[in-house]
């Protein structure tokens, strides 16, 4: 597929890396973040050329730049597929900027895309055909997992997708500090923590067992794990997580 990406920062480069081998890629960036791609099989040019050469265009600039970049490229879009990855946009807001007749797919990927482990949600507008939706699904599946989601679920799902990597980073850092406090070397702690989180997540995903049940299976009576669970509960661990998701959701609604 001919895919264009405008804005090669954190997300743009993560997506581009996932797509490099199997697609014709066209990239543009305002700054000088393109060193990694200079000797790769892709074309680096300006925003207008990216849109003219591609069938699917991902706009990967910060949300505040969306209106100006859209104004710059919208006349060249014609019936190409415009893919948004920005936080805080709705289909209506994008249609207001692009025009009601434009083909738009609103998405929310996340940064594990750079290692092929992204999670993306997709919401097409009514102008996008089934084949085009399948193509966008296949684009986003090339750097992880991708699902289509209903409009009323999109905003909160986008918060989970977009914000969760940072929440998990914080979780891993705190666990590592605890381990170091108890005498474990920092590098060993991060190796153990990362793999254990990957393993626990895959276990839940594969078995589809409720996380409470998985927790019950590893908490022996009067054992060490239940002591840690008690300490977390005394410090409102789950309430803190609920509040974090709600705070990010409220922020995304106010943008
Ligand atoms: N980061 C995440 O975890 C994440 C997750 C999901 C979705 N998103 C979404 O992804 C989008 C990009 O976020 P990011 O974190 O990747 O931002 P970023 O690292 O700042 O990258 C944006 C890139 O776009 C470039 N740019 C700005 N204006 C441009 C223009 N007019 N033409 C071409 N390139 C331009 C920037 O260049 P300069 O450096 O010169 O400004 C920068 O390299 C946002 O809409 C965000 O909501 C991000």
């Amino acid at each position: 597929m001919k895919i264009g990406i405008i804005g090669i920062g954190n997300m743009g480069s993560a997506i581009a890396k996932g797509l490099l081998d199997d697609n014709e890629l066209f990239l543009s960036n305002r700054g000088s973040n393109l060193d990694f791609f200079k000797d790769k099989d892709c074309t680096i040019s300006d925003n207008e050329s990216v849109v003219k050469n591609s069938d699917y265009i991902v706009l990967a600039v910060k949300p505040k730049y969306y209106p100006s970049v859209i104004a710059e490229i919208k006349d060249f879009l014609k019936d190409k597929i415009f893919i948004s990855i920005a936080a805080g946009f709705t289909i209506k807001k994008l249609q207001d900027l692009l025009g009601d007749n434009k083909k738009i797919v609103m998405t929310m990927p996340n940064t594990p895309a750079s290692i092929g482990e992204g999670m993306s949600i997709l919401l097409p507008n009514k102008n996008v055909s089934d084949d085009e939706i399948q193509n966008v699904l296949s684009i986003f599946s090339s750097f992880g997992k991708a699902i289509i989601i209903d409009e009323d679920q999109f905003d909160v799902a986008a918060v989970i997708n977009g914000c969760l990597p940072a929440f998990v980073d914080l979780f891993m850092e705190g666990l590592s500090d605890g381990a170091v406090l108890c005498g474990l070397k920092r590098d060993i702690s991060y190796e153990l923590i990362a793999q254990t989180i990957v393993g626990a997540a895959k276990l839940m995903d594969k078995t589809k067992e409720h996380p409470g049940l998985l927790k019950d299976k590893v908490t022996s009576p009067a054992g060490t794990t239940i002591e840690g669970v008690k300490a977390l509960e005394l410090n409102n661990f789950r309430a803190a997580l609920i509040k974090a998701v709600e705070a990010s959701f409220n922020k995304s609604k106010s943008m």
Side-chain angles (χ1 to χ4, degrees), residues 6-194:
I6 297 176
I8 308 298
N10 292 317
M11 270 321 298
S13 60
I15 294 172
K17 283 173 190 167
L19 293 171
L20 260 179
D21 295 334
D22 304 316
N23 299 281
E24 227 181 305
L25 265 193
F26 299 89
L27 311 179
S28 64
N29 192 61
R30 185 180 61 179
S32 54
N33 294 353
L34 287 161
D35 287 352
F36 174 86
F37 295 96
K38 286 208 168 113
D39 58 351
K40 302 288 184 297
D41 191 11
C42 59
T43 306
I44 295 169
S45 57
D46 54 61
N47 297 350
E48 182 181 323
S49 309
V50 164
V51 177
K52 284 181 172 168
N53 285 308
S54 314
D55 297 321
Y56 294 82
I57 295 104
V58 180
L59 185 53
V61 300
K62 290 281 188 206
K64 64 180 173 181
Y65 298 127
Y66 257 55
S68 60
V69 179
I70 285 175
E72 184 189 341
I73 63 170
K74 75 174 180 182
D75 290 345
F76 313 110
L77 269 176
K78 302 189 166 89
D79 61 350
K80 295 161 190 272
I81 291 68
F82 176 90
I83 302 171
S84 158
I85 64 165
F89 277 82
T90 58
I91 286 281
K92 162 127 189 19
K93 215 159 148 184
L94 291 168
Q95 283 179 176
D96 288 347
L97 291 168
L98 285 155
D100 281 347
N101 57 344
K102 289 289 193 298
K103 297 180 176 184
I104 301 169
V105 182
M106 216 166 77
T107 75
M108 183 53 65
N110 56 23
T111 45
S114 63
I115 53 152
E117 291 288 350
M119 179 70 231
S120 305
I121 48 165
L122 272 52
L123 171 65
N125 77 347
K126 60 179 183 344
N127 304 326
V128 185
S129 72
D130 287 348
D131 282 353
E132 289 161 343
I133 294 169
Q134 287 311 315
N135 283 340
V136 179
L137 257 182
S138 125
I139 291 171
F140 280 75
S141 299
S142 58
F143 46 82
K145 194 170 172 180
I147 57 168
I148 295 170
I149 203 154
D150 290 339
E151 189 158 14
D152 68 346
Q153 297 285 286
F154 190 90
D155 290 347
V156 63
V159 162
I160 293 294
N161 259 20
C163 306
L164 206 63
F167 297 171
V168 174
D169 289 337
L170 212 61
F171 178 60
M172 291 194 289
E173 191 185 9
L175 289 171
S176 171
D177 284 346
V180 169
L181 184 71
C182 298
L184 194 63
K185 288 183 178 164
R186 181 68 75 177
D187 56 342
I188 298 176
S189 79
Y190 277 130
E191 194 176 350
L192 302 186
I193 288 163

Side-chain angles (χ1 to χ4, degrees), residues 219-220 222-234:
T219 42
S220 332
T224 52
T225 307
I226 196 69
E227 280 297 327
V229 169
K230 178 183 157 194
L232 287 171
E233 294 295 4
L234 286 172

